[in-house]
Amino acid sequence: MKYKEYVKWNRMPTTWCPGCAIGIVFKQLTFTLETLDIPRDELVVVSGIGCSGRAAGYFNTDSVHGTHGRAVSIAEGIKRGNSKLKVIVFSGDGDLIGIGGNHLLHASRRDVDLAVICINNEIYGMTGGQMAPTTKTGTKTLTSVYGNIYNPVNIQGIISSNKRFFYARSSAYHLNHLKRSIKEAIEWNGFAFVDVISYCIENLGRRLGFKNAYEMLFKLKEDFKINAKPQGSLLEGELGIISSDKG
Ligand SMILES: Cc1ncc(C[n+]2csc(CCOP(=O)(O)OP(=O)(O)O)c2C)c(N)n1
Ligand SMILES: [Mg+2]
């Protein structure tokens, strides 16, 4: 199938703000689906709630726009009900790591065959830009006006604590790397997590002094470098794919 056939064009334009990174990631996923040529009736996309969570409604396939934090559990139920389906979760950091953190812990531990694509804008975007568990220490948000005093969740640490795991960190700027990460995650037989470093111009970037989305996008280029052959864990500022087939 051509990538355009994976999109519900009658639902366009999306609700996302101009310049939002979610659309970039959405498009790269449709390109990847074309590469893998997954038939529409063998594919299900599941989202939770949030700006990223709106994506489920834009895929021209069976999809579920679930409740907040439950995308992974809904996806697990679908996969266990029909193991022939390719089940992809497309949701936000607040949804997957915040309220849904417990489900992530256990679905990854159970190594359920899902590809989880996390749009990590380090914020609760939809509700106005509140601090999330992914917000970096020191970042000023709507609810941490003097800067976040907490450490962010170590997503890589959680996923890679399992014997068998797949963890990719990519970004909304590094498109070829992002497509490769999504493709390998979908092909991985087990629980695969793609941490897509993203941004939110309207509810975080403007507060931080970015003039537009373009500036935020190019900050990703400055801040992240691809490590094509990571030894062990990815360091801060590194993008890459780590996995283990043991266990
Ligand atoms: C049970 C419940 N709690 C809180 C909310 C309010 N809420 C809606 S979206 C959201 C955060 C979404 O953040 P994220 O998943 O990072 O998505 P983003 O908007 O940043 O893409 C919250 C807290 C809700 N809808 N349901
Ligand atoms: Mg978010």
Side-chain angles (χ1 to χ4, degrees), residues 114-131:
L114 302 174
V116 180
I117 298 160
C118 176
I119 317 303
N120 189 353
N121 54 14
E122 301 175 357
I123 206 84
Y124 294 143
M126 177 178 261
T127 43
Q130 294 86 356
M131 179 176 79

Side-chain angles (χ1 to χ4, degrees), residues 63-241:
S63 64
V64 181
H65 186 195
T67 45
H68 194 34
R70 314 300 163 216
V72 167
S73 346
I74 293 166
E76 179 169 353
I78 294 168
K79 184 70 190 179
R80 292 199 186 277
N82 184 350
S83 61
K84 290 195 194 92
L85 295 172
K86 269 284 166 215
V87 185
I88 298 175
V89 174
F90 189 105
S91 215
D93 51 312
D95 190 76
L96 293 166
I97 317 291
I99 187 171
N102 192 41
H103 300 302
L104 187 71
L105 200 66
H106 294 291
S108 65
R109 173 180 65 82
R110 291 192 287 259
D111 201 20
V112 189
D113 187 12
L114 302 174
V116 180
I117 298 160
C118 176
I119 317 303
N120 189 353
N121 54 14
E122 301 175 357
I123 206 84
Y124 294 143
M126 177 178 261
T127 43
Q130 294 86 356
M131 179 176 79
T134 43
T135 306
K136 285 200 190 74
T137 313
T139 302
K140 290 180 181 168
T141 72
L142 190 68
T143 50
S144 58
V145 287
Y146 299 113
N148 176 20
I149 59 169
Y150 303 113
N151 288 319
V153 170
N154 179 355
I155 308 173
Q156 171 179 229
I158 291 176
I159 302 295
S160 66
S161 69
N162 297 296
K163 278 190 187 149
R164 241 188 132 262
F165 71 89
F166 177 104
Y167 172 83
R169 187 191 294 141
S170 194
S171 106
Y173 176 85
H174 300 79
L175 300 185
N176 285 333
H177 186 264
L178 176 58
K179 269 182 290 190
R180 192 163 71 244
S181 302
I182 295 175
K183 180 172 175 286
E184 289 191 22
I186 295 174
E187 287 174 329
W188 181 259
N189 180 22
F191 193 88
F193 192 94
V194 186
D195 187 3
V196 188
I197 310 300
S198 181
Y199 60 85
C200 170
I201 179 64
E202 292 303 330
N203 284 332
L204 178 65
R206 299 225 184 265
R207 192 172 291 115
L208 299 178
F210 287 95
K211 290 196 193 69
N212 50 47
Y214 183 81
E215 272 190 14
M216 277 197 108
L217 180 66
F218 272 75
K219 187 79 170 57
L220 296 176
K221 182 186 181 193
E222 264 174 47
D223 288 354
F224 289 93
K225 297 282 167 281
I226 296 168
N227 181 347
K229 286 202 174 104
Q231 303 293 322
S233 304
L234 296 169
L235 303 175
E236 214 179 305
E238 276 187 348
L239 305 179
I241 300 173

Side-chain angles (χ1 to χ4, degrees), residues 1 5-6 29 33 36-46 59-63 75 78-89 113-115 186-187:
M1 266 168 67
E5 295 174 66
Y6 290 100
L29 173 54
L33 292 172
L36 294 171
D37 201 19
I38 303 177
R40 192 184 292 139
D41 57 0
E42 289 174 20
L43 174 69
V44 181
V45 181
V46 184
F59 283 97
N60 189 21
T61 179
D62 282 337
S63 64
I78 294 168
K79 184 70 190 179
R80 292 199 186 277
N82 184 350
S83 61
K84 290 195 194 92
L85 295 172
K86 269 284 166 215
V87 185
I88 298 175
V89 174
D113 187 12
L114 302 174
I186 295 174
E187 287 174 329

